[in-house]
Amino acid sequence: MNMPRTITCPYPLRAILLLAACLALPANAQDKAGAPVVVTTVQEQEVYRVLQLTGTVTSARSARLSPATSGLVSALQVDAGSRVEGGQLLLQMDDELAQLQARGAEAAVERANLALRDARRRLEEARTLAPQRSIAESVVKDIAAEVSQDEAALHEAEAEAGYRRGILQRHQLKAPFAGVISAKLTELGEWVSPGQPVLELVALDDVHLDFPVAEDYAAFIAVGAPMQFSITADPTTHHNGAVTTVVPVTDPNARTFLLRVQPTDPEQTFTPGTSVQGKLRLAAGRRAVVVPRDGIVRSPDGRIVVWTVDAADGGTVVRENVVTSGLSFDSLVEISSGLEPGARIVVRGNEALQNGQNVVIRQAGEG
């Protein structure tokens, strides 16, 4: 006869409960010890207002070039985007007639010169014969007058020749300074006249930054104030500059004035017309408690909270502080009320704290 078989459980119930308690122990122990946080001590310091500005790289020299005389464009040596040196030929006009006129003027100079030399020769001979009474004194005077007339004629011919050479030279348009051609406004075969822009030239070796600034800040900006800026197309690369000019003439419509900034790195080049983003720090004229931006917690109900740490019953607990914030600058936030200098505040681990909760202070970077 088979007897009922007794089955013995290798894991009694109490062992299972003990195992569960052991697995839950770290979380319970952590709750008892406190949530890990990183703290810092708040300080009182000078408060700054940071202006976020948008401006433009502007060349110190730019010119709309036009010819000095009228003519037909026969050659264009550059196009938009061409880099040129000072004195380089940019545009040539048809100068065939001007060359002929210049040659005619030079020939007139040569004729006047020959006539003057002949008159001087005859005058010298006449003065040699005059003491011998071989020639009348009046003839000598007539020849002397002729020499004077020939000298004047030579001067006139030389002036006309110089004028014609100048006209000929003005059939060429040369770069007044080094730079880049920003616009080509004419083409081959076009008739151009003085005052008519044919090319736009922009210098690259001397640029500055121009920012429109609200007139409210005009009184707070001083020449020499430092500025940090970046090219809009490359916002991660920061450059330094200094305010060189504050033009206190406001735009009556926009209520702005011009702020001019000079980059301080002479080796860095910037393309005129490029958009830039600038940050200008202005002293607010007061000292206040400031906290790192990470120490600010914004509640859904609109409150601004800073958590401070205090010692309690041999441990450390956090207290909720509703504060009023002011200006933000350099990753810091001004606290107008609700916090005293010297308080220790939580800057990491403050996302889900509760008032009076135990915490464990850790060093920054500690796991």
Side-chain angles (χ1 to χ4, degrees):
M1 180 177 177
N2 293 332
M3 298 295 292
R5 192 171 183 181
T6 303
I7 300 175
T8 304
C9 179
Y11 299 103
L13 180 58
R14 62 181 179 180
I16 294 175
L17 295 175
L18 181 59
L19 178 60
C22 291
L23 293 174
L25 183 59
N28 294 336
Q30 177 177 319
D31 290 343
K32 184 176 180 180
V37 296
V38 176
V39 303
T40 189
T41 302
V42 300
Q43 309 253 342
E44 185 180 80
Q45 70 168 65
E46 190 74 26
V47 177
Y48 292 91
R49 177 182 286 106
V50 178
L51 296 185
Q52 303 282 350
L53 303 173
T54 299
T56 305
V57 178
T58 305
S59 175
R61 291 187 297 174
S62 61
R64 293 168 62 88
L65 306 179
S66 65
T69 189
S70 299
L72 194 70
V73 178
S74 61
L76 269 171
Q77 307 294 335
V78 294
D79 202 343
S82 299
R83 290 178 179 263
V84 300
E85 298 297 328
Q88 179 178 334
L89 177 64
L90 307 178
L91 179 146
Q92 175 70 53
M93 292 186 292
D94 182 12
D95 60 358
E96 181 181 1
L97 297 181
Q99 286 188 20
L100 294 175
Q101 290 175 334
R103 290 174 188 168
E106 293 294 341
V109 170
E110 184 62 26
R111 285 197 303 272
N113 203 10
L114 290 174
L116 177 61
R117 286 202 297 266
D118 181 66
R120 285 174 175 171
R121 177 188 60 78
R122 288 187 287 111
L123 177 61
E124 184 178 353
E125 290 177 354
R127 285 175 175 171
T128 302
L129 295 175
Q132 304 172 9
R133 299 186 179 275
S134 299
I135 189 171
E137 185 66 27
S138 60
V139 174
V140 175
K141 291 181 179 179
D142 289 342
I143 298 175
E146 183 181 345
V147 169
S148 298
Q149 291 175 355
D150 288 344
E151 286 177 344
L154 177 61
H155 293 327
E156 182 180 3
E158 289 175 339
E160 178 67 15
Y163 173 78
R164 293 302 172 185
R165 285 194 301 270
I167 293 296
L168 180 61
Q169 291 173 355
R170 282 162 173 75
H171 281 70
Q172 291 184 338
L173 180 61
K174 296 183 178 181
F177 51 83
V180 63
I181 301 298
S182 61
K184 184 178 72 171
L185 307 175
T186 191
E187 268 299 346
L188 293 176
E190 288 189 356
W191 184 269
V192 294
S193 303
Q196 174 187 344
V198 293
L199 296 168
E200 290 185 3
L201 177 62
V202 177
L204 299 178
D205 57 351
D206 186 11
V207 298
H208 47 248
L209 316 176
D210 286 343
F211 296 91
V213 182
E215 62 181 4
D216 298 342
Y217 303 111
F220 302 101
I221 301 177
V223 173
M227 172 183 277
Q228 188 179 76
F229 67 93
S230 61
I231 303 299
T232 303
D234 183 17
T236 60
T237 303
H238 299 287
H239 311 278
N240 295 317
V243 175
T244 57
T245 306
V246 178
V247 183
V249 178
T250 60
D251 183 337
N253 297 319
R255 301 296 181 187
T256 61
F257 66 93
L258 175 66
L259 180 68
R260 181 157 289 173
V261 174
Q262 185 70 37
T264 54
D265 185 1
E267 302 299 325
Q268 189 68 46
T269 59
F270 303 97
T271 304
T274 304
S275 175
V276 292
Q277 304 294 322
K279 291 183 180 180
L280 185 65
R281 296 174 76 226
L282 303 177
R286 62 177 181 272
R287 295 179 63 84
V289 172
V290 295
V291 301
R293 190 173 285 114
D294 291 339
I296 298 290
V297 178
R298 299 184 183 274
S299 301
D301 59 4
R303 295 181 306 151
I304 300 175
V305 173
V306 173
W307 292 95
T308 56
V309 296
D310 295 317
D313 299 330
T316 304
V317 298
V318 291
R319 305 293 183 194
E320 183 185 62
N321 300 266
V322 179
V323 300
T324 302
S325 64
L327 298 175
S328 297
F329 62 97
D330 300 340
S331 298
L332 300 173
V333 178
E334 175 193 11
I335 302 300
S336 304
S337 63
L339 200 63
E340 295 296 327
R344 294 193 301 166
I345 67 168
V346 180
V347 293
R348 282 184 55 189
N350 54 359
E351 296 83 2
L353 295 176
Q354 297 180 4
N355 207 16
Q357 180 180 349
N358 289 328
V359 294
V360 176
I361 297 176
R362 300 285 181 83
Q363 297 297 321
E366 204 178 315

